Amino acid sequence: MLTAVKNQLKVTGLSIKYALVREFLNKATFLSNIIFMILNNSCMIIQWIVLFSIKDDMGGYTFKQVLLLWGISAGTYGVSRFFFKKAFELSETINSGKLDAYIVQPKNILLSTITSDIQVSAIGDMLFAFIVYFIYGFNITTFILFIFFCVTGGLMLTAISIILNSLSFWFNNADMVSDVGNSLMVNFATYPDGIFKGITKWLLFTLVPVGIANYIPIKILIEFNPYLLIINISVCLLLTLLAFVIFYKGLRRYSSSNLMSARI
Amino acid sequence: MRKYLFIIKTQIMSNLQYVFNIVFGFIGYFIMLFILFNLWKYLYSDQSELINGYTMTQMTWYVIVTEILWMSLGGRKLCNKISKDVRSGNITYNINKPYNYIGYCLSTHLGDIFVKGLIYTFLGMLTGLLFLKSFPDLTLVNIIVVLITSILATSISALIIIAIGLISFFIEDSGPFYWVYSKIILVLGTIFPIEYFPNIIQKILNYSPVYVVSYGPAKLFVDFSWDKAISIVLAQIIYILIAYSICYFIYKKGVKRINVNGG
């Protein structure tokens, strides 16, 4: 069992490594993708400078705390898109019958599929997350927690995308549903939860778990709370498990499109 | 000109097949609007409060219009298409046709987004009425002027994005340039009106694309004045000429670098 897990992790690591090497062939494009993504994210700081010139407090967040929220959002986004890019294109893979190439491999089908490619610009997102974190203020405990929350948040984003994209096993237009789900997760993640009230706030901590992936980590980083940490880890594990269950349940309905393809 | 109008017509007919997808895509627009509506509600203590000359109702309508303009534009798709045309060599199928490639891209894209623009405008106005329960004080003539400036704004945006896409002649992937352009427009022109920025930045923004592609039509919609309308339309005409010239220049320089191997 342990050897199987070790082997799977090794294959996943190699898959990501080769994807990275492939992308690095064109150095100019590779670097411009990363640098421009950092610039792209930095532009949004202007928005918050303007907003904080109107009011000192944004839903209970100070300017530095909003920056930290941006760091967590960029970090979770970066982790999910860099390591599991194909989880966000799973619907297309299922609909076009491209799963065949992964099914024939003696490895975990879901992991092999979603780690088969990387999004280079996501490196820019991860770097931006660290830059913003260091502006917020370095401390070894919060630094470890920050990295940990980027990983759990990234896993949650990926799991939600897998769950929604796996609906393609049952419905034709599931990609549209997953687009909406992904944009809900990304758009809400960069605004403080204090500006939302009532049912919206409730939804953000339940059905659309932006609160668990992004807001709870901020609260823990500001003031450590073990209960909130347990909630974050539990929801992350639950969503990951659910993603595997739904994907493999749907996989039973998958039928090949007889498409000839090879992974080189 | 007739051939370009024909291309627009063909694209409109083709896009009418995907009305459901467009309506479903409106959810993304709605989410963004909902977030910004909550933000303004948090910032404004009451409906009559003025921040930088705008009431909460005006700010919400401003964002509704700028978001309609931006989200119905489909800029990323246009930039990717041109970038892909250049990288894959597909552009060679277009350059030997009896039309101008820039004109072809522009008319194809305007045809593509026409239906989307109409649906987003209708649903966006409906969302505004739902949130605010009021409509800006505009006459029919005012609305026509806002529509004209919106069409000109969309054309300028499309031309600027075509120019960005054509950068692929020199750097393989022009996508990163588009990200930065889109973020600048989003932050400096979509979320806030120009008046929200310090005086020195306002002066720069008044001559920038932000003024003609997002601020202009939205400002006229929330606070119409003929003086402003004339200055915006004039600026838009100048910008169309500048943007087209830049596209033409990049295209002429870049097309000499095409090297297609078989196919």
Side-chain angles (χ1 to χ4, degrees):
Chain A
M1 174 71 180
L2 211 64
T3 319
V5 173
K6 212 171 134 189
N7 277 341
Q8 180 62 54
L9 286 177
K10 198 176 168 190
V11 171
T12 305
L14 282 174
S15 178
I16 292 168
K17 183 184 158 191
Y18 290 132
L20 194 60
V21 170
R22 201 169 51 232
E23 293 291 343
F24 197 66
L25 283 176
N26 191 334
K27 288 190 187 69
T29 305
F30 185 88
L31 290 174
S32 66
N33 266 281
I34 295 169
I35 294 165
F36 276 77
M37 184 47 80
I38 296 173
L39 275 176
N40 177 44
N41 289 337
S42 308
C43 286
M44 292 310 287
I45 294 174
I46 301 169
Q47 175 191 353
W48 291 103
I49 292 172
V50 173
L51 287 171
F52 274 96
S53 71
I54 300 167
K55 211 168 184 165
D56 297 334
D57 173 271
M58 279 289 149
Y61 285 58
T62 61
F63 181 70
K64 275 196 165 182
Q65 289 166 350
V66 168
L67 279 185
L68 190 63
L69 179 67
W70 265 87
I72 286 281
S73 311
T76 54
Y77 186 93
V79 167
S80 67
R81 262 57 174 197
F82 179 75
F83 294 102
F84 313 109
K85 180 191 173 188
K86 284 287 181 179
F88 300 86
E89 295 163 16
L90 199 56
S91 205
E92 202 264 329
T93 312
I94 296 166
N95 287 336
S96 58
K98 287 178 187 164
L99 268 184
D100 296 13
Y102 305 97
I103 288 174
V104 293
Q105 290 175 356
K107 290 285 167 226
N108 184 288
I109 301 164
L110 179 58
L111 272 179
S112 303
T113 310
I114 62 176
T115 56
S116 60
D117 201 4
I118 58 159
Q119 189 173 313
V120 176
S121 60
I123 301 172
D125 285 307
M126 290 189 279
L127 288 175
F128 176 78
F130 284 117
I131 294 169
V132 164
Y133 169 78
F134 282 108
I135 294 173
Y136 173 76
F138 174 81
N139 161 333
I140 192 71
T141 321
T142 57
F143 184 64
I144 293 166
L145 279 171
F146 180 78
I147 295 173
F148 179 76
F149 291 133
C150 287
V151 175
T152 56
L155 287 174
M156 282 190 238
L157 280 182
T158 311
I160 289 165
S161 183
I162 293 169
I163 293 167
L164 296 176
N165 275 291
S166 294
L167 297 177
S168 286
F169 287 119
W170 290 275
F171 313 106
N172 263 340
N173 287 329
D175 56 328
M176 286 158 74
V177 180
S178 90
D179 283 349
V180 171
N182 291 332
S183 80
L184 276 169
M185 288 296 292
V186 172
N187 288 328
F188 277 101
T190 50
Y191 290 88
D193 54 324
I195 65 167
F196 305 109
K197 303 265 180 291
I199 191 155
T200 314
K201 195 157 185 173
W202 183 79
L203 284 172
L204 291 177
F205 283 89
T206 51
L207 209 61
V208 187
V210 182
I212 317 281
N214 297 73
Y215 302 144
I216 281 185
I218 298 296
K219 291 182 198 317
I220 299 173
L221 288 169
I222 295 169
E223 193 181 344
F224 187 76
N225 182 331
Y227 298 111
L228 291 179
L229 183 65
I230 292 168
I231 292 174
N232 180 276
I233 297 170
S234 310
V235 174
C236 177
L237 289 174
L238 189 75
L239 280 172
T240 310
L241 188 71
L242 200 65
F244 272 93
V245 170
I246 293 178
F247 177 81
Y248 278 97
K249 213 169 172 51
L251 192 62
R252 288 189 207 148
R253 297 172 56 89
Y254 177 74
S255 54
S256 164
S257 65
N258 218 11
L259 179 78
M260 290 281 285
S261 66
R263 288 193 63 206
I264 302 164
Chain B
M1 191 65 192
R2 267 177 64 192
K3 55 193 168 196
Y4 298 111
L5 289 174
F6 186 77
I7 294 171
I8 292 177
K9 189 181 148 197
T10 315
Q11 291 303 119
I12 291 172
M13 299 307 285
S14 151
N15 274 277
L16 281 172
Q17 310 296 318
Y18 305 107
V19 169
F20 174 74
N21 292 24
I22 296 170
V23 173
F24 205 87
F26 181 78
I27 296 173
Y29 169 91
F30 186 82
I31 294 167
M32 208 54 233
L33 209 60
F34 180 77
I35 292 172
L36 292 172
F37 180 65
N38 273 278
L39 183 68
W40 294 126
K41 243 169 77 172
Y42 179 80
L43 285 171
Y44 282 87
S45 49
D46 66 81
Q47 294 252 345
S48 57
E49 188 190 350
L50 275 178
I51 299 179
N52 295 315
Y54 288 84
T55 63
M56 186 192 144
T57 309
Q58 281 179 316
M59 270 313 298
T60 311
W61 276 117
Y62 179 90
V63 172
I64 288 172
V65 175
T66 52
E67 287 283 347
I68 289 173
L69 286 170
W70 186 249
M71 295 205 69
S72 58
L73 178 68
R76 187 190 300 258
K77 194 176 154 198
L78 176 63
C79 186
N80 284 347
K81 188 196 164 289
I82 294 168
S83 195
K84 207 171 156 193
D85 269 358
V86 174
R87 279 188 290 174
S88 65
N90 253 355
I91 197 166
T92 48
Y93 294 112
N94 296 107
I95 53 179
N96 59 0
K97 297 277 191 314
Y99 52 62
N100 173 306
Y101 179 71
I102 299 160
Y104 168 74
C105 285
L106 182 66
S107 45
T108 310
H109 192 69
L110 290 181
D112 258 344
I113 60 172
F114 181 80
V115 180
K116 193 176 174 185
L118 276 185
I119 293 174
Y120 273 40
T121 304
F122 175 71
L123 293 177
M125 295 295 134
L126 214 62
T127 311
L129 284 172
L130 189 83
F131 283 163
L132 302 163
K133 294 169 184 65
S134 66
F135 194 80
D137 192 18
L138 291 166
T139 64
L140 185 65
V141 182
N142 296 162
I143 292 173
I144 293 169
V145 174
V146 174
L147 278 176
I148 292 169
T149 55
S150 299
I151 294 167
L152 290 170
T154 306
S155 306
I156 297 164
S157 285
L159 279 169
I160 293 174
I161 293 165
I162 290 171
I164 294 172
L166 289 172
I167 294 175
S168 291
F169 277 123
F170 311 94
I171 293 173
E172 201 183 54
D173 188 4
S174 61
F177 293 91
Y178 172 74
W179 303 336
V180 174
Y181 169 74
S182 67
K183 253 327 133 57
I184 289 171
I185 296 290
L186 185 74
V187 176
L188 301 179
T190 305
I191 302 175
F192 308 110
I194 288 174
E195 291 85 348
Y196 266 68
F197 296 95
N199 278 340
I200 182 121
I201 297 176
Q202 277 187 40
K203 279 178 190 156
I204 299 167
L205 290 177
N206 278 331
Y207 293 97
S208 74
V210 170
Y211 184 80
V212 286
V213 302
S214 58
Y215 172 82
K219 174 74 182 173
L220 290 179
F221 189 78
V222 298
D223 183 20
F224 191 93
S225 78
W226 281 105
D227 286 349
K228 199 88 183 160
I230 292 164
S231 86
I232 288 166
V233 172
L234 275 176
Q236 286 182 321
I237 292 168
I238 294 167
Y239 250 98
I240 283 191
L241 295 173
I242 295 171
Y244 182 81
S245 306
I246 293 171
C247 285
Y248 186 77
F249 176 75
I250 299 175
Y251 176 76
K252 277 284 163 197
K253 277 258 178 208
V255 84
K256 288 178 190 157
R257 298 164 64 102
I258 288 185
N259 188 0
V260 180
N261 300 314

